[in-house]
Amino acid sequence: MLGGVFLLAFGPCAPPRCSAGAAVAAVVTGLVLAAATGLGGLALTVRRIVLRRAAWPAALLTLVVCVAVVVATWAGHQLVTGV
């Protein structure tokens, strides 16, 4: 998600086609969703470890969902900026 911040800082944003506010909203929403997903997955994984159950499925699911959020954020940024 740090890449999204760099997209905002250094990415092209021509005023007629690009809305800077919408680009910021897309990246910030992605950051919040990725952080929430990561923290939720961490809590679930630790809970499964404490209960002495297999924790790798929860960790793998967290990784997959975080990657999906990053890809969706990137796509949203590309859609908003028109690049």
Side-chain angles (χ1 to χ4, degrees), residues 1-33:
M1 286 313 304
L2 190 58
V5 175
F6 281 106
L7 281 174
L8 286 177
F10 303 112
C13 188
R17 294 182 58 188
C18 175
S19 170
V24 168
V27 171
V28 169
T29 302
L31 283 171
V32 169
L33 285 175

Side-chain angles (χ1 to χ4, degrees), residues 44-56:
L44 180 63
T45 302
V46 169
R47 182 175 183 273
R48 290 187 63 89
I49 288 171
V50 168
L51 295 175
R52 299 196 185 273
R53 293 186 180 159
W56 68 266

